[in-house]
Amino acid sequence: MTKSEELFKRACEVIPGGVNSPVRAFGSVGQTPRMIASAHGAYMTDEDGNRYLDFVGSWGPMILGHDYPAVREAVISACADGLSFGAATRREVEMAELICGSIPNIDMVRMVNSGTEAVMSAIRAARGFTGRDKIIKFMGCYHGHSDALLVQAGSGVMTAGIPDSAGVPQGCTKDTLSAVYNDLASVEQLFDAFPEEIAAVIVEPVGANMGVVPPAEGFLEGLRALCTKYGAVLIFDEVITGFRLGFSGAQGFFGVDADLVTYGKIIGAGMPVGAYGGKREIMECVAPRGPVYQAGTLSGNPVAMAAGLAQLTVLKEHPEIYDELNKKGQWFFGSIRQIARECGAPVQVNTCGSLGCIFFTAEPVHDYESAKTSDTKKYAEYFRYMLSHGIYLAPAQFEAMFLSAAHTREELAGVLELIRAYV
Ligand code: KE4
């Protein structure tokens, strides 16, 4: 028995499914999860000493690679001053000023501890601001595990094939309307049906939880126009795209203005951080300034702020990182598409910037239903092949591959050869 197998066996006795988040369970790929002991740069090493080129990057935070020196040093230095005070601190002000000073349409921002918290708080702020109850989300998009959003969600929910979670009372989801990603008509129909009742439309500006599904031409612009027309708040859930597509995230990348934006992952550089922010008139509804209550013991934690500030400062001061990262993504995922074409393999390769994924289906993937045509057994086989060759992919079809600044083109060229040999 390997150390990972032994540890996972113990884990299953004391942790549901042996993991603290379902997507880590390797359930859909028929393998024992590797117990990771350490990570540096683009590599992770498991408890048995096996080294993997990592394309998960902690599900997005590690855009500069693992154990980035400036981040590590900032965390160690912050720890020396104490871990948490439950009081206002300088670093929270610096983080808020950095975000509000650099991202369009973010006049104010509130720190929380996860993407889930960021999204549920943004939804509450939108409802408090508009006085309306209904929200529109998109099938296949995943916005964390708060009750109202576990409706035809992506990521681990989609992987597990549970359209809606048990334990969520109908009352929590009765105001959640589902539309079809990349289908503006499906959104218009909902606005026509509830012209004065929709508080917000929440969207992943690049779908990355049903595999990667980029927005069709005009889709985001259309959502912007509909929200403006009907007085609904447009929320970009940028937990994945924020500070990934560019420093201004999807708003800057696509040139579409949201009213509220949610963040996670990269903003914490691997520490537990989420945030939501946007127009002053909306954010000033949030307590203690306004009547929308939201709170958190460890929100704006000084060590987490130090990590996030260090990573965001590097990204802000070196915009060339994004140029290289997005070019690398275009080349890498474009090469996979080319290989598939040359080999006549029935796969689709979807990509946006440094995000990408392979679907094992012959039909183009542009939404939840077409993503579901992917052969998940084939994906599992592909995953096991790559893992056996030291490549650590998302252990589920309905996720993304995350490139980092630490992945070299030589390493990626080696991965392309493995894929060529596989398909
Ligand atoms: P967290 O609560 O997991 O920090 O963020 C929730 C969330 C919100 N919005 C988007 C667009 C997200 O992708 C996520 C979380 N992403 C998943 C990966 N698909 C996290 C991995 C996991 O669940 O363990």
Side-chain angles (χ1 to χ4, degrees):
M1 188 180 260
T2 66
K3 286 183 180 161
S4 282
E5 286 166 341
E6 196 265 328
L7 278 166
F8 187 59
K9 189 165 175 292
R10 285 165 50 190
C12 288
E13 291 303 310
V14 288
I15 306 170
V19 291
N20 283 310
S21 196
V23 282
R24 305 177 192 169
F26 280 41
S28 66
V29 293
Q31 279 274 314
T32 299
R34 299 305 189 262
M35 290 285 174
I36 301 302
S38 64
H40 303 278
Y43 289 86
M44 297 200 295
T45 303
D46 70 16
E47 289 287 347
D48 295 283
N50 301 305
R51 194 163 173 262
Y52 306 96
L53 186 61
D54 175 24
F55 286 94
V56 175
S58 183
W59 302 100
M62 302 306 172
I63 190 169
L64 294 177
H66 292 284
D67 187 32
Y68 192 80
V71 173
R72 183 183 63 239
E73 283 146 26
V75 168
I76 291 167
S77 158
C79 285
D81 294 336
L83 299 184
S84 181
F85 317 123
T89 64
R90 169 178 51 82
R91 288 190 180 91
E92 292 165 270
V93 180
E94 290 169 355
M95 175 67 96
E97 286 176 339
L98 186 151
I99 293 169
C100 297
S102 329
I103 313 289
N105 306 305
I106 307 283
D107 303 327
M108 303 191 97
V109 65
R110 169 62 64 85
M111 292 291 135
V112 293
N113 300 284
S114 69
T116 294
E117 254 196 283
V119 169
M120 63 188 258
S121 307
I123 296 274
R124 190 179 306 139
R127 284 171 160 162
F129 174 69
T130 60
R132 300 176 180 178
D133 294 342
K134 291 190 185 323
I135 58 170
I136 294 175
K137 77 172 288 289
F138 292 88
M139 288 181 269
C141 285
Y142 177 73
H143 302 290
H145 65 88
S146 60
D147 283 348
L149 290 156
L150 285 175
V151 174
Q152 294 176 293
S155 186
V157 182
M158 190 168 173
T159 297
I162 41 174
D164 305 316
S165 171
V168 176
Q170 216 283 325
C172 292
T173 56
K174 67 180 176 52
D175 289 315
T176 304
L177 308 172
S178 289
V180 178
Y181 199 80
N182 280 329
D183 177 352
L184 282 172
S186 71
V187 184
E188 280 181 292
Q189 279 158 20
L190 293 171
F191 272 113
D192 287 345
F194 306 101
E196 316 263 316
E197 297 178 57
I198 294 170
V201 173
I202 183 164
V203 67
E204 289 183 58
V206 176
N209 286 289
M210 45 181 142
V212 175
V213 178
E217 191 70 34
F219 176 60
L220 298 177
E221 294 80 353
L223 295 182
R224 176 64 278 165
L226 283 168
C227 286
T228 302
K229 178 180 174 186
Y230 287 94
V233 173
L234 178 56
I235 303 174
F236 272 10
D237 179 353
E238 294 220 45
V239 167
I240 284 186
T241 56
F243 305 104
R244 173 160 288 277
L245 299 181
F247 200 74
S248 319
Q251 288 193 104
F253 194 83
F254 296 106
V256 176
D257 292 347
D259 300 311
L260 289 179
V261 183
T262 58
Y263 295 104
K265 300 179 192 281
I266 291 174
I267 194 175
M271 297 294 280
V273 178
Y276 65 105
K279 294 205 164 98
R280 183 175 299 276
E281 56 183 347
I282 304 173
M283 292 303 290
E284 287 194 334
C285 295
V286 178
R289 183 75 172 72
V292 176
Y293 195 72
Q294 180 267 308
T297 302
L298 298 175
S299 297
N301 171 272
V303 178
M305 291 295 100
L309 274 166
Q311 177 149 276
L312 294 192
T313 301
V314 169
L315 291 167
K316 184 173 167 69
E317 290 176 356
H318 298 281
E320 70 277 10
I321 290 173
Y322 287 113
D323 296 340
E324 168 52 18
L325 196 48
N326 290 341
K327 282 198 196 100
K328 196 160 60 173
Q330 206 171 9
W331 162 73
F332 179 64
F333 295 110
S335 301
I336 299 174
R337 195 178 289 127
Q338 183 59 28
I339 290 168
R341 206 174 291 132
E342 287 163 8
C343 302
V347 303
Q348 304 296 319
V349 181
N350 282 5
T351 178
C352 186
S354 56
L355 294 169
C357 91
I358 299 178
F359 292 99
F360 287 86
T361 177
E363 79 167 76
V365 177
H366 51 86
D367 62 10
Y368 184 56
E369 289 308 324
S370 47
K372 287 201 291 186
T373 67
S374 184
D375 178 343
T376 53
K377 286 191 175 44
K378 188 79 179 148
Y379 180 84
E381 208 180 85
Y382 163 66
F383 172 87
R384 292 192 295 268
Y385 165 80
M386 296 295 268
L387 191 68
S388 69
H389 287 83
I391 308 301
Y392 193 94
L393 302 176
Q397 166 69 77
F398 305 116
E399 298 294 348
M401 283 176 86
F402 296 88
L403 297 190
S404 79
H407 288 91
T408 67
R409 288 185 180 237
E410 294 67 33
E411 288 159 343
L412 296 177
V415 177
L416 292 174
E417 286 321 301
L418 280 173
I419 292 173
R420 182 184 297 279
Y422 177 75
V423 293

